[in-house]
Amino acid sequence: MTDTQREAMEYDVVIVGAGPAGLSAAIRLKQLNADCNVVVLEKGSEVGAHILSGAVLDPSGLNALIPDWKAKGAPLNVPVKDDNFYMLGEAGQLRIPNWPMPPLMNNHGNYIVSMGNVCRWMAEQAEELGVEIFPGMSCSELVYGENGEVKGVVAGEFGKNPDGTQGDSYEPGMELHGKYVFLSEGVRGSLSKQIIEKYSLSDGHEPQKYGLGMKEIWEIDPDKHKEGSVTHTMGWPLGSNAGGGSFIYHLENNQVYVGFVVHLNYKNPHLFPYMEFQRFKHHPMVADLLEGGKRVAYGARAISEGGYQSMPKMVAPGVALLGCSVGMVNVPRIKGNHNAMLSGMAAAEAASAAISAERSGDELNDYETAVREGAIGRDLKKVRNVKPLWSKSGLTASLTLGGFDMWTNTLGFSLLGTMGHGKTDAEATEEAAKHQPIDYPKPDGKLSFDRLTNVAFSFTNHEESQPAHLTLKDASVPVEINLPKYAGPSARYCPAGVYEFVEEAGKDTRFVINFQNCVHCKTCDIKDPAQNIVWTTPQGGDGPNYPNM
């Protein structure tokens, strides 16, 4: 906490992040008690601006929260009509039949959606109930009470100089206090990371694992468009270099979501996830679909993949972690929004009961119990071994033994128990000398694009006069350690071209951070082998502005 004097506003519950978890919590709190005073703080310029749209949504969370969502106009307009799974080779593909798949892999009853638009609609529902929502309000600090409990956040601080000092137009922001604070910042949120460390919430749990998800929205030839079609692929181009795969979802208006996920536990520091994505689009099956179309948007985001065994303790005095702040993605299904909604509801129910009992600032243990023993825990426990099997034994083991384990878990048991993950993704990175560099084809500007061109299609903007929100613990590490030992992996693992090593004749190599390019994926905070890069929230409204599609 600084010595800056700020005004304070009092609420029953303060929620950080207007994603599916935070908005579900806000709505549920007002459903339970119309007099509950709730505020939601969103760092994006508007609700949905930082939501990387394009998902297949399991509506179970929304069904529980707003059963009449269809009558209220929720933007779930494209039901899944068919599921396709392919194993790709460089020049062809093999269709994997649906019948051996465990029932949980079936997308029947799910919807292809823009999660940005779903969140915009949820915000409207929340505001109709009396929830206060403030977009463009980054939360830069936690506020602690006399007994060490979290009692609020600092939001809306603007006008700092690049060196961190207060500029002429400095605005100190406000302290927003609550009986409870919910952190629903998404993957690797800066405040959530502080809470997990301060209260040792990861002790006794496996390390969290992550993937990097990159996505483009394309408008394609109407003759090739199949509204409601869902396709997932594995194999080429990643092969044995990394785990991961792709998804292609046909939504409305001849638009297609084309996405690619690279698991961040890859060993070879020469791997270039963004270029793997660009190369993927040149596969004959994908190239034929996209030929004659145009890319209209791009974005990237880290995905929590550790699952059941990696979820940290979710509560500390006065605070609860929701959704992807905990890590509730079902990896084989590539779905987590339904669990995020259910977690928001569970936190709201625990907080509402506590407030009714005139409690505040304590641990909402009923929330933790509801998550681990309820629908979320059951969903994640069935698939808990797929990720560690993939990481330790490769794709084939994941498909065969992992598929078998999902089937037995559907019946209520597992012969494998609960497998561990072991290393963090940063620790998994090996020295460059142990691996061969990878030669990537140059983007052609039609199907594949260079990073900076694509970043323009994320509509990212950062005010350059503010302090960089990407900082180094030790400024010497990138050039003196990461470059000679790991071949400077930050220049490749970032999907937005934020980091570069600049070499000029007669001068020492410089490490440059182009924070203006940042799309807030958090990959650098996760994958840096020295754990030397720290992602913090920039001032409110900055970052990507994903389109309203």
Side-chain angles (χ1 to χ4, degrees):
M1 219 18 220
T2 67
D3 294 329
T4 302
Q5 297 299 309
R6 298 183 174 93
E7 295 182 11
M9 296 180 66
E10 302 294 330
Y11 290 88
D12 290 316
V13 180
V14 175
I15 301 174
V16 179
L23 291 170
S24 294
I27 290 169
R28 187 61 180 146
L29 282 163
K30 296 296 279 189
Q31 288 173 339
L32 292 167
N33 181 0
D35 295 327
C36 188
N37 200 2
V38 183
V39 65
V40 178
L41 304 164
E42 166 57 37
K43 66 182 172 70
S45 59
E46 63 168 331
V47 173
H50 289 181
I51 301 292
L52 186 57
S53 293
V56 172
L57 178 65
D58 176 342
S60 59
L62 199 54
N63 290 339
L65 181 67
I66 307 175
D68 58 343
W69 55 262
K70 187 171 293 187
K72 290 186 174 180
L76 280 66
N77 303 318
V78 181
V80 175
K81 295 177 182 177
D82 63 86
D83 262 333
N84 304 284
F85 297 89
Y86 291 96
M87 180 67 69
L88 299 187
E90 186 170 0
Q93 64 276 346
L94 175 66
R95 172 77 187 272
I96 301 174
N98 293 64
W99 61 264
M101 302 283 182
L104 62 90
M105 297 295 289
N106 191 337
N107 274 310
H108 178 73
N110 297 332
Y111 293 82
I112 300 172
V113 300
S114 159
M115 279 309 298
N117 284 345
V118 171
C119 287
R120 291 179 179 100
W121 175 83
M122 291 178 68
E124 293 173 0
Q125 309 310 303
E127 287 179 325
E128 288 179 5
L129 293 170
V131 174
E132 295 181 39
I133 301 178
F134 297 132
M137 294 285 279
S138 289
C139 297
S140 54
E141 294 180 37
L142 292 159
V143 179
Y144 294 94
E146 295 179 357
N147 299 315
E149 80 280 11
V150 176
K151 74 169 187 178
V153 296
V154 173
E157 187 176 24
F158 292 92
K160 283 187 174 181
N161 294 317
D163 63 1
T165 59
Q166 297 176 4
D168 294 338
S169 60
Y170 177 71
E171 299 178 20
M174 298 190 66
E175 291 189 6
L176 294 99
H177 299 167
K179 296 180 175 69
Y180 296 99
V181 174
F182 292 171
L183 299 181
S184 52
E185 302 172 287
V187 175
R188 198 79 167 191
S190 53
L191 300 184
S192 302
K193 186 178 172 184
Q194 293 176 38
I195 290 295
I196 291 171
E197 182 176 354
K198 178 179 176 63
Y199 294 101
S200 303
L201 301 186
S202 288
D203 288 2
H205 303 276
E206 286 292 308
Q208 187 58 264
K209 306 293 285 183
Y210 300 92
L212 171 60
M214 297 157 284
K215 190 177 302 179
E216 295 172 355
I217 303 177
W218 282 71
E219 291 179 358
I220 65 169
D221 183 340
D223 291 337
K224 300 177 182 179
H225 187 254
K226 300 177 181 178
E227 185 175 301
S229 177
V230 168
T231 296
H232 293 97
T233 78
M234 294 172 286
W236 189 88
L238 290 172
S240 60
N241 285 326
S246 82
F247 53 90
I248 301 173
Y249 302 152
H250 292 243
L251 62 157
E252 306 155 283
N253 303 320
N254 301 316
Q255 289 192 335
V256 176
Y257 295 126
V258 182
F260 198 79
V261 177
V262 178
H263 299 172
L264 289 177
N265 63 346
Y266 61 83
K267 298 177 181 179
N268 185 351
H270 296 292
L271 188 82
F272 198 156
Y274 175 84
M275 290 306 298
E276 296 286 351
F277 176 31
Q278 298 308 302
R279 183 161 61 166
F280 157 75
K281 290 182 291 177
H282 286 273
H283 187 276
M285 182 181 78
V286 186
D288 179 67
L289 174 69
L290 300 181
E291 185 179 2
K294 64 176 181 179
R295 161 220 46 185
V296 297
Y298 165 74
R301 182 74 78 244
I303 304 166
S304 58
E305 294 185 336
Y308 182 80
Q309 55 269 62
S310 294
M311 292 192 297
K313 185 179 178 183
M314 302 166 209
V315 295
V319 66
L321 308 182
L322 277 55
C324 280
S325 295
V326 174
M328 298 182 180
V329 172
N330 183 312
V331 171
R333 296 183 73 199
I334 320 181
K335 291 179 180 64
N337 288 307
H338 63 299
N339 285 336
M341 293 179 183
L342 292 172
S343 76
M345 293 181 63
E349 289 162 3
S352 182
I355 293 169
S356 295
E358 299 185 349
R359 290 162 41 204
S360 66
D362 59 344
E363 295 190 2
L364 293 172
N365 294 311
D366 287 349
Y367 162 60
E368 176 116 12
T369 300
V371 168
R372 296 191 185 276
E373 298 182 4
I376 298 171
R378 291 192 296 270
D379 183 49
L380 298 180
K381 195 170 185 179
K382 292 177 183 177
V383 302
R384 66 192 182 278
N385 292 322
V386 172
K387 172 67 176 176
L389 277 169
W390 198 336
S391 300
K392 295 176 180 180
S393 304
L395 177 58
T396 301
S398 176
L399 285 173
T400 54
L401 190 55
F404 174 76
D405 191 61
M406 283 192 286
W407 266 110
T408 61
N409 271 287
T410 300
L411 301 175
F413 67 95
S414 171
L415 297 176
L416 301 178
T418 299
M419 298 180 65
H421 294 299
K423 297 179 180 179
T424 68
D425 292 332
E427 293 168 340
T429 312
E430 294 183 346
E431 295 184 18
K434 296 182 178 181
H435 299 275
Q436 293 297 317
I438 302 172
D439 184 26
Y440 291 99
K442 184 178 179 180
D444 66 359
K446 297 178 181 178
L447 288 177
S448 50
F449 312 96
D450 65 82
R451 278 186 296 186
L452 295 186
T453 298
N454 237 357
V455 167
F457 284 79
S458 69
F459 310 100
T460 290
N461 179 65
H462 291 88
E463 172 56 53
E464 295 187 19
S465 64
Q466 67 181 301
H469 65 281
L470 298 158
T471 61
L472 302 176
K473 297 177 183 177
D474 184 338
S476 70
V477 165
V479 172
E480 295 182 8
I481 297 176
N482 284 352
L483 185 58
K485 189 173 183 179
Y486 301 103
S490 57
R492 290 177 295 279
Y493 59 57
C494 173
V498 169
Y499 305 100
E500 60 178 328
F501 292 87
V502 178
E503 297 181 355
E504 298 172 313
K507 297 182 179 179
D508 293 336
T509 300
R510 293 184 295 117
F511 184 64
V512 177
I513 301 176
N514 303 299
F515 75 89
Q516 300 89 344
N517 296 351
C518 180
V519 294
H520 297 193
C521 73
K522 320 287 181 63
T523 302
C524 56
D525 197 296
I526 296 163
K527 185 59 176 173
D528 183 65
Q531 288 293 274
N532 188 52
I533 299 175
V534 179
W535 191 98
T536 56
T537 183
Q539 66 184 20
D542 284 5
N545 285 277
Y546 293 128
N548 191 0
M549 295 180 177

